[in-house]
Amino acid sequence: MEVVIVADAAAQGELVASAVADLIARKPEALFGVATGSTPLPVYQALAAKVAAGQVDVGRLKVCQLDEYVGLPAGHPESYREVLKREVLAPLGIGDSAFLGPDGGAEDLPGACAAYEQQLADAGGVDLQLLGIGTDGHIGFNEPVSSLASRTRIKTLTERTRVDNARFFNGLDEVPRHVITQGIGTILQARHLVLLATGAGKAEAVAATVEGPVSSMVPASALQLHPHATVVVDEAAAQQLKLSDYYKATFASKPAWQGI
Ligand code: PGA
């Protein structure tokens, strides 16, 4: 695993946006897997600035979702489809037809999960998947004890995740209990995984992910099984890493960690 320790969220955003820009330059029709949550927002802002400056052409780029709440009415502003339209598609100038995601409002939810797996496969698979990490170590909405081989499916959120996400709703009662999420097996099929974390609140989960055993109790630790996983963290999120000096010496610059 490549562990890149950066000064702050702005540096993280710049660095990861430039890696996404490099991917788009190499493969203009790439499938870019995006994540919701607060952590990736600086990446989207930095990427939008590159598009606005004419440095990146996203005309053929496709974008796909990692997870979605179940049961929110269509168009609900906190459904992940709407959040991503607001935070990613609109600023980048990408239309809905290039946006893949699971249908959290479907009558047949298992059918919607299977359909999404098929859509991802038909699109040629995810080239670069951005991931946040929950304080409980989840990736996507794969909560602790998720099968490390899981595919896109319905999950029940832990109370901890619902509390963490209540800030986006008018209180905890409004936070959905169920979600559709790409499985860990699905996520591991992306060609490059880039996990982002900032702040001391993520330090324990980051250390368990990078240096702990691979365990379904820390779903993000499955990244250790991936041939090209990059973890980009700020100093606060890195503070429980035992080998941080080694990571700084080894992965300080982008060419070293892009694996190309
Ligand atoms: P955050 O969410 O980026 O808002 O901390 C991450 C996650 O829950 O995966």
PDB file of all heavy atoms in Angstrom, residues 14-46:
ATOM      1  N   GLU A  14      -5.326  19.007  -4.036  1.00  0.00           N
ATOM      2  CA  GLU A  14      -4.485  19.307  -5.212  1.00  0.00           C
ATOM      3  C   GLU A  14      -3.810  18.044  -5.750  1.00  0.00           C
ATOM      4  O   GLU A  14      -3.831  17.766  -6.943  1.00  0.00           O
ATOM      5  CB  GLU A  14      -3.389  20.290  -4.794  1.00  0.00           C
ATOM      6  CG  GLU A  14      -3.384  21.664  -5.381  1.00  0.00           C
ATOM      7  CD  GLU A  14      -4.138  21.904  -6.663  1.00  0.00           C
ATOM      8  OE1 GLU A  14      -3.689  21.378  -7.706  1.00  0.00           O
ATOM      9  OE2 GLU A  14      -5.141  22.603  -6.641  1.00  0.00           O
ATOM     10  N   LEU A  15      -3.221  17.286  -4.823  1.00  0.00           N
ATOM     11  CA  LEU A  15      -2.463  16.096  -5.215  1.00  0.00           C
ATOM     12  C   LEU A  15      -3.362  15.060  -5.881  1.00  0.00           C
ATOM     13  O   LEU A  15      -3.038  14.514  -6.945  1.00  0.00           O
ATOM     14  CB  LEU A  15      -1.808  15.495  -3.967  1.00  0.00           C
ATOM     15  CG  LEU A  15      -0.830  14.365  -4.203  1.00  0.00           C
ATOM     16  CD1 LEU A  15       0.429  14.883  -4.882  1.00  0.00           C
ATOM     17  CD2 LEU A  15      -0.473  13.685  -2.892  1.00  0.00           C
ATOM     18  N   VAL A  16      -4.506  14.803  -5.262  1.00  0.00           N
ATOM     19  CA  VAL A  16      -5.380  13.754  -5.799  1.00  0.00           C
ATOM     20  C   VAL A  16      -6.050  14.230  -7.087  1.00  0.00           C
ATOM     21  O   VAL A  16      -6.198  13.456  -8.039  1.00  0.00           O
ATOM     22  CB  VAL A  16      -6.389  13.294  -4.728  1.00  0.00           C
ATOM     23  CG1 VAL A  16      -7.363  12.285  -5.305  1.00  0.00           C
ATOM     24  CG2 VAL A  16      -5.639  12.692  -3.543  1.00  0.00           C
ATOM     25  N   ALA A  17      -6.411  15.508  -7.159  1.00  0.00           N
ATOM     26  CA  ALA A  17      -6.996  16.034  -8.403  1.00  0.00           C
ATOM     27  C   ALA A  17      -5.984  15.910  -9.541  1.00  0.00           C
ATOM     28  O   ALA A  17      -6.357  15.609 -10.684  1.00  0.00           O
ATOM     29  CB  ALA A  17      -7.424  17.489  -8.223  1.00  0.00           C
ATOM     30  N   SER A  18      -4.712  16.123  -9.253  1.00  0.00           N
ATOM     31  CA  SER A  18      -3.729  16.008 -10.332  1.00  0.00           C
ATOM     32  C   SER A  18      -3.566  14.554 -10.764  1.00  0.00           C
ATOM     33  O   SER A  18      -3.328  14.277 -11.942  1.00  0.00           O
ATOM     34  CB  SER A  18      -2.393  16.657  -9.951  1.00  0.00           C
ATOM     35  OG  SER A  18      -1.750  15.900  -8.983  1.00  0.00           O
ATOM     36  N   ALA A  19      -3.741  13.606  -9.826  1.00  0.00           N
ATOM     37  CA  ALA A  19      -3.698  12.187 -10.210  1.00  0.00           C
ATOM     38  C   ALA A  19      -4.901  11.838 -11.084  1.00  0.00           C
ATOM     39  O   ALA A  19      -4.777  11.079 -12.063  1.00  0.00           O
ATOM     40  CB  ALA A  19      -3.681  11.309  -8.960  1.00  0.00           C
ATOM     41  N   VAL A  20      -6.064  12.400 -10.763  1.00  0.00           N
ATOM     42  CA  VAL A  20      -7.257  12.149 -11.582  1.00  0.00           C
ATOM     43  C   VAL A  20      -7.058  12.789 -12.964  1.00  0.00           C
ATOM     44  O   VAL A  20      -7.388  12.192 -13.994  1.00  0.00           O
ATOM     45  CB  VAL A  20      -8.526  12.687 -10.888  1.00  0.00           C
ATOM     46  CG1 VAL A  20      -9.746  12.509 -11.788  1.00  0.00           C
ATOM     47  CG2 VAL A  20      -8.744  11.994  -9.540  1.00  0.00           C
ATOM     48  N   ALA A  21      -6.488  13.980 -12.984  1.00  0.00           N
ATOM     49  CA  ALA A  21      -6.226  14.657 -14.263  1.00  0.00           C
ATOM     50  C   ALA A  21      -5.263  13.829 -15.120  1.00  0.00           C
ATOM     51  O   ALA A  21      -5.450  13.710 -16.333  1.00  0.00           O
ATOM     52  CB  ALA A  21      -5.647  16.052 -14.006  1.00  0.00           C
ATOM     53  N   ASP A  22      -4.252  13.242 -14.488  1.00  0.00           N
ATOM     54  CA  ASP A  22      -3.310  12.384 -15.230  1.00  0.00           C
ATOM     55  C   ASP A  22      -4.029  11.179 -15.827  1.00  0.00           C
ATOM     56  O   ASP A  22      -3.762  10.784 -16.960  1.00  0.00           O
ATOM     57  CB  ASP A  22      -2.182  11.887 -14.306  1.00  0.00           C
ATOM     58  CG  ASP A  22      -1.234  12.992 -13.896  1.00  0.00           C
ATOM     59  OD1 ASP A  22      -1.302  14.091 -14.483  1.00  0.00           O
ATOM     60  OD2 ASP A  22      -0.434  12.760 -12.969  1.00  0.00           O
ATOM     61  N   LEU A  23      -4.928  10.592 -15.033  1.00  0.00           N
ATOM     62  CA  LEU A  23      -5.706   9.454 -15.536  1.00  0.00           C
ATOM     63  C   LEU A  23      -6.522   9.873 -16.762  1.00  0.00           C
ATOM     64  O   LEU A  23      -6.533   9.162 -17.779  1.00  0.00           O
ATOM     65  CB  LEU A  23      -6.652   8.935 -14.430  1.00  0.00           C
ATOM     66  CG  LEU A  23      -7.752   7.986 -14.923  1.00  0.00           C
ATOM     67  CD1 LEU A  23      -7.182   6.649 -15.378  1.00  0.00           C
ATOM     68  CD2 LEU A  23      -8.813   7.761 -13.834  1.00  0.00           C
ATOM     69  N   ILE A  24      -7.182  11.021 -16.669  1.00  0.00           N
ATOM     70  CA  ILE A  24      -8.050  11.470 -17.773  1.00  0.00           C
ATOM     71  C   ILE A  24      -7.206  11.760 -19.025  1.00  0.00           C
ATOM     72  O   ILE A  24      -7.624  11.479 -20.144  1.00  0.00           O
ATOM     73  CB  ILE A  24      -8.884  12.694 -17.343  1.00  0.00           C
ATOM     74  CG1 ILE A  24      -9.800  12.319 -16.177  1.00  0.00           C
ATOM     75  CG2 ILE A  24      -9.707  13.236 -18.520  1.00  0.00           C
ATOM     76  CD1 ILE A  24     -10.461  13.503 -15.485  1.00  0.00           C
ATOM     77  N   ALA A  25      -5.992  12.285 -18.803  1.00  0.00           N
ATOM     78  CA  ALA A  25      -5.110  12.540 -19.956  1.00  0.00           C
ATOM     79  C   ALA A  25      -4.715  11.228 -20.637  1.00  0.00           C
ATOM     80  O   ALA A  25      -4.648  11.136 -21.855  1.00  0.00           O
ATOM     81  CB  ALA A  25      -3.866  13.302 -19.494  1.00  0.00           C
ATOM     82  N   ARG A  26      -4.469  10.207 -19.823  1.00  0.00           N
ATOM     83  CA  ARG A  26      -4.096   8.884 -20.364  1.00  0.00           C
ATOM     84  C   ARG A  26      -5.282   8.166 -20.978  1.00  0.00           C
ATOM     85  O   ARG A  26      -5.149   7.439 -21.951  1.00  0.00           O
ATOM     86  CB  ARG A  26      -3.588   7.966 -19.225  1.00  0.00           C
ATOM     87  CG  ARG A  26      -2.233   8.206 -18.695  1.00  0.00           C
ATOM     88  CD  ARG A  26      -1.704   6.972 -17.923  1.00  0.00           C
ATOM     89  NE  ARG A  26      -2.578   6.439 -16.885  1.00  0.00           N
ATOM     90  CZ  ARG A  26      -2.656   6.917 -15.652  1.00  0.00           C
ATOM     91  NH1 ARG A  26      -1.944   7.965 -15.297  1.00  0.00           N
ATOM     92  NH2 ARG A  26      -3.449   6.350 -14.759  1.00  0.00           N
ATOM     93  N   LYS A  27      -6.462   8.357 -20.360  1.00  0.00           N
ATOM     94  CA  LYS A  27      -7.650   7.588 -20.752  1.00  0.00           C
ATOM     95  C   LYS A  27      -8.866   8.507 -20.654  1.00  0.00           C
ATOM     96  O   LYS A  27      -9.543   8.534 -19.621  1.00  0.00           O
ATOM     97  CB  LYS A  27      -7.787   6.373 -19.823  1.00  0.00           C
ATOM     98  CG  LYS A  27      -8.871   5.410 -20.234  1.00  0.00           C
ATOM     99  CD  LYS A  27      -8.864   4.157 -19.354  1.00  0.00           C
ATOM    100  CE  LYS A  27      -9.970   3.212 -19.771  1.00  0.00           C
ATOM    101  NZ  LYS A  27     -10.058   2.029 -18.906  1.00  0.00           N
ATOM    102  N   PRO A  28      -9.140   9.273 -21.702  1.00  0.00           N
ATOM    103  CA  PRO A  28     -10.212  10.277 -21.613  1.00  0.00           C
ATOM    104  C   PRO A  28     -11.585   9.686 -21.309  1.00  0.00           C
ATOM    105  O   PRO A  28     -12.429  10.346 -20.715  1.00  0.00           O
ATOM    106  CB  PRO A  28     -10.210  10.920 -23.003  1.00  0.00           C
ATOM    107  CG  PRO A  28      -8.853  10.627 -23.568  1.00  0.00           C
ATOM    108  CD  PRO A  28      -8.418   9.318 -22.974  1.00  0.00           C
ATOM    109  N   GLU A  29     -11.800   8.406 -21.680  1.00  0.00           N
ATOM    110  CA  GLU A  29     -13.101   7.779 -21.458  1.00  0.00           C
ATOM    111  C   GLU A  29     -13.131   6.985 -20.150  1.00  0.00           C
ATOM    112  O   GLU A  29     -13.985   6.117 -19.955  1.00  0.00           O
ATOM    113  CB  GLU A  29     -13.457   6.880 -22.647  1.00  0.00           C
ATOM    114  CG  GLU A  29     -12.687   5.566 -22.743  1.00  0.00           C
ATOM    115  CD  GLU A  29     -11.228   5.695 -23.179  1.00  0.00           C
ATOM    116  OE1 GLU A  29     -10.698   6.819 -23.298  1.00  0.00           O
ATOM    117  OE2 GLU A  29     -10.579   4.644 -23.382  1.00  0.00           O
ATOM    118  N   ALA A  30     -12.224   7.304 -19.225  1.00  0.00           N
ATOM    119  CA  ALA A  30     -12.120   6.563 -17.968  1.00  0.00           C
ATOM    120  C   ALA A  30     -13.436   6.597 -17.188  1.00  0.00           C
ATOM    121  O   ALA A  30     -14.266   7.494 -17.351  1.00  0.00           O
ATOM    122  CB  ALA A  30     -11.003   7.171 -17.105  1.00  0.00           C
ATOM    123  N   LEU A  31     -13.587   5.581 -16.317  1.00  0.00           N
ATOM    124  CA  LEU A  31     -14.701   5.560 -15.364  1.00  0.00           C
ATOM    125  C   LEU A  31     -14.130   5.931 -13.995  1.00  0.00           C
ATOM    126  O   LEU A  31     -13.295   5.213 -13.436  1.00  0.00           O
ATOM    127  CB  LEU A  31     -15.348   4.167 -15.339  1.00  0.00           C
ATOM    128  CG  LEU A  31     -16.531   3.979 -14.377  1.00  0.00           C
ATOM    129  CD1 LEU A  31     -17.635   4.994 -14.633  1.00  0.00           C
ATOM    130  CD2 LEU A  31     -17.090   2.549 -14.490  1.00  0.00           C
ATOM    131  N   PHE A  32     -14.574   7.061 -13.494  1.00  0.00           N
ATOM    132  CA  PHE A  32     -14.054   7.656 -12.252  1.00  0.00           C
ATOM    133  C   PHE A  32     -15.077   7.404 -11.143  1.00  0.00           C
ATOM    134  O   PHE A  32     -16.205   7.893 -11.208  1.00  0.00           O
ATOM    135  CB  PHE A  32     -13.850   9.161 -12.506  1.00  0.00           C
ATOM    136  CG  PHE A  32     -13.429   9.994 -11.326  1.00  0.00           C
ATOM    137  CD1 PHE A  32     -12.632   9.484 -10.308  1.00  0.00           C
ATOM    138  CD2 PHE A  32     -13.814  11.333 -11.249  1.00  0.00           C
ATOM    139  CE1 PHE A  32     -12.239  10.279  -9.228  1.00  0.00           C
ATOM    140  CE2 PHE A  32     -13.426  12.140 -10.180  1.00  0.00           C
ATOM    141  CZ  PHE A  32     -12.651  11.598  -9.165  1.00  0.00           C
ATOM    142  N   GLY A  33     -14.680   6.631 -10.150  1.00  0.00           N
ATOM    143  CA  GLY A  33     -15.569   6.323  -9.033  1.00  0.00           C
ATOM    144  C   GLY A  33     -15.439   7.392  -7.949  1.00  0.00           C
ATOM    145  O   GLY A  33     -14.343   7.630  -7.452  1.00  0.00           O
ATOM    146  N   VAL A  34     -16.547   8.017  -7.630  1.00  0.00           N
ATOM    147  CA  VAL A  34     -16.501   9.120  -6.668  1.00  0.00           C
ATOM    148  C   VAL A  34     -17.161   8.720  -5.352  1.00  0.00           C
ATOM    149  O   VAL A  34     -17.959   7.794  -5.304  1.00  0.00           O
ATOM    150  CB  VAL A  34     -17.156  10.402  -7.241  1.00  0.00           C
ATOM    151  CG1 VAL A  34     -16.306  10.953  -8.380  1.00  0.00           C
ATOM    152  CG2 VAL A  34     -18.576  10.148  -7.693  1.00  0.00           C
ATOM    153  N   ALA A  35     -16.799   9.438  -4.312  1.00  0.00           N
ATOM    154  CA  ALA A  35     -17.317   9.166  -2.972  1.00  0.00           C
ATOM    155  C   ALA A  35     -17.987  10.424  -2.436  1.00  0.00           C
ATOM    156  O   ALA A  35     -17.614  11.535  -2.800  1.00  0.00           O
ATOM    157  CB  ALA A  35     -16.167   8.755  -2.052  1.00  0.00           C
ATOM    158  N   THR A  36     -18.962  10.216  -1.578  1.00  0.00           N
ATOM    159  CA  THR A  36     -19.598  11.353  -0.905  1.00  0.00           C
ATOM    160  C   THR A  36     -18.871  11.610   0.415  1.00  0.00           C
ATOM    161  O   THR A  36     -17.834  11.029   0.680  1.00  0.00           O
ATOM    162  CB  THR A  36     -21.081  11.044  -0.652  1.00  0.00           C
ATOM    163  OG1 THR A  36     -21.146   9.760  -0.055  1.00  0.00           O
ATOM    164  CG2 THR A  36     -21.867  11.073  -1.932  1.00  0.00           C
ATOM    165  N   GLY A  37     -19.432  12.468   1.246  1.00  0.00           N
ATOM    166  CA  GLY A  37     -18.792  12.818   2.508  1.00  0.00           C
ATOM    167  C   GLY A  37     -18.013  14.107   2.333  1.00  0.00           C
ATOM    168  O   GLY A  37     -17.861  14.628   1.221  1.00  0.00           O
ATOM    169  N   SER A  38     -17.494  14.609   3.443  1.00  0.00           N
ATOM    170  CA  SER A  38     -16.806  15.898   3.426  1.00  0.00           C
ATOM    171  C   SER A  38     -15.385  15.788   2.885  1.00  0.00           C
ATOM    172  O   SER A  38     -14.863  16.720   2.269  1.00  0.00           O
ATOM    173  CB  SER A  38     -16.723  16.470   4.846  1.00  0.00           C
ATOM    174  OG  SER A  38     -17.996  16.473   5.438  1.00  0.00           O
ATOM    175  N   THR A  39     -14.739  14.642   3.112  1.00  0.00           N
ATOM    176  CA  THR A  39     -13.308  14.546   2.831  1.00  0.00           C
ATOM    177  C   THR A  39     -12.942  14.782   1.367  1.00  0.00           C
ATOM    178  O   THR A  39     -11.970  15.497   1.091  1.00  0.00           O
ATOM    179  CB  THR A  39     -12.764  13.178   3.315  1.00  0.00           C
ATOM    180  OG1 THR A  39     -13.288  12.929   4.621  1.00  0.00           O
ATOM    181  CG2 THR A  39     -11.253  13.158   3.347  1.00  0.00           C
ATOM    182  N   PRO A  40     -13.686  14.211   0.394  1.00  0.00           N
ATOM    183  CA  PRO A  40     -13.231  14.391  -0.999  1.00  0.00           C
ATOM    184  C   PRO A  40     -13.553  15.757  -1.606  1.00  0.00           C
ATOM    185  O   PRO A  40     -13.107  16.031  -2.730  1.00  0.00           O
ATOM    186  CB  PRO A  40     -13.987  13.300  -1.776  1.00  0.00           C
ATOM    187  CG  PRO A  40     -14.848  12.590  -0.817  1.00  0.00           C
ATOM    188  CD  PRO A  40     -14.824  13.293   0.479  1.00  0.00           C
ATOM    189  N   LEU A  41     -14.270  16.616  -0.902  1.00  0.00           N
ATOM    190  CA  LEU A  41     -14.710  17.874  -1.534  1.00  0.00           C
ATOM    191  C   LEU A  41     -13.550  18.710  -2.091  1.00  0.00           C
ATOM    192  O   LEU A  41     -13.654  19.233  -3.208  1.00  0.00           O
ATOM    193  CB  LEU A  41     -15.562  18.698  -0.557  1.00  0.00           C
ATOM    194  CG  LEU A  41     -16.899  18.040  -0.158  1.00  0.00           C
ATOM    195  CD1 LEU A  41     -17.658  18.913   0.842  1.00  0.00           C
ATOM    196  CD2 LEU A  41     -17.768  17.744  -1.374  1.00  0.00           C
ATOM    197  N   PRO A  42     -12.418  18.831  -1.360  1.00  0.00           N
ATOM    198  CA  PRO A  42     -11.300  19.601  -1.939  1.00  0.00           C
ATOM    199  C   PRO A  42     -10.755  18.997  -3.239  1.00  0.00           C
ATOM    200  O   PRO A  42     -10.246  19.731  -4.094  1.00  0.00           O
ATOM    201  CB  PRO A  42     -10.244  19.583  -0.829  1.00  0.00           C
ATOM    202  CG  PRO A  42     -11.016  19.367   0.430  1.00  0.00           C
ATOM    203  CD  PRO A  42     -12.152  18.463   0.040  1.00  0.00           C
ATOM    204  N   VAL A  43     -10.883  17.686  -3.389  1.00  0.00           N
ATOM    205  CA  VAL A  43     -10.454  17.049  -4.652  1.00  0.00           C
ATOM    206  C   VAL A  43     -11.349  17.534  -5.783  1.00  0.00           C
ATOM    207  O   VAL A  43     -10.863  17.922  -6.860  1.00  0.00           O
ATOM    208  CB  VAL A  43     -10.535  15.506  -4.548  1.00  0.00           C
ATOM    209  CG1 VAL A  43     -10.193  14.862  -5.894  1.00  0.00           C
ATOM    210  CG2 VAL A  43      -9.630  14.988  -3.448  1.00  0.00           C
ATOM    211  N   TYR A  44     -12.669  17.529  -5.540  1.00  0.00           N
ATOM    212  CA  TYR A  44     -13.597  17.935  -6.595  1.00  0.00           C
ATOM    213  C   TYR A  44     -13.403  19.421  -6.941  1.00  0.00           C
ATOM    214  O   TYR A  44     -13.480  19.805  -8.108  1.00  0.00           O
ATOM    215  CB  TYR A  44     -15.050  17.660  -6.171  1.00  0.00           C
ATOM    216  CG  TYR A  44     -15.293  16.220  -5.766  1.00  0.00           C
ATOM    217  CD1 TYR A  44     -16.113  15.887  -4.694  1.00  0.00           C
ATOM    218  CD2 TYR A  44     -14.658  15.171  -6.454  1.00  0.00           C
ATOM    219  CE1 TYR A  44     -16.310  14.567  -4.314  1.00  0.00           C
ATOM    220  CE2 TYR A  44     -14.844  13.850  -6.080  1.00  0.00           C
ATOM    221  CZ  TYR A  44     -15.676  13.558  -5.004  1.00  0.00           C
ATOM    222  OH  TYR A  44     -15.849  12.243  -4.630  1.00  0.00           O
ATOM    223  N   GLN A  45     -13.137  20.211  -5.910  1.00  0.00           N
ATOM    224  CA  GLN A  45     -12.922  21.650  -6.176  1.00  0.00           C
ATOM    225  C   GLN A  45     -11.652  21.869  -6.991  1.00  0.00           C
ATOM    226  O   GLN A  45     -11.639  22.659  -7.948  1.00  0.00           O
ATOM    227  CB  GLN A  45     -12.877  22.424  -4.846  1.00  0.00           C
ATOM    228  CG  GLN A  45     -14.268  22.591  -4.240  1.00  0.00           C
ATOM    229  CD  GLN A  45     -14.259  22.718  -2.710  1.00  0.00           C
ATOM    230  OE1 GLN A  45     -13.197  22.891  -2.099  1.00  0.00           O
ATOM    231  NE2 GLN A  45     -15.423  22.620  -2.093  1.00  0.00           N
ATOM    232  N   ALA A  46     -10.600  21.163  -6.632  1.00  0.00           N
ATOM    233  CA  ALA A  46      -9.330  21.322  -7.367  1.00  0.00           C
ATOM    234  C   ALA A  46      -9.470  20.805  -8.794  1.00  0.00           C
ATOM    235  O   ALA A  46      -8.922  21.398  -9.740  1.00  0.00           O
ATOM    236  CB  ALA A  46      -8.203  20.588  -6.628  1.00  0.00           C
TER     237      ALA A  46
END
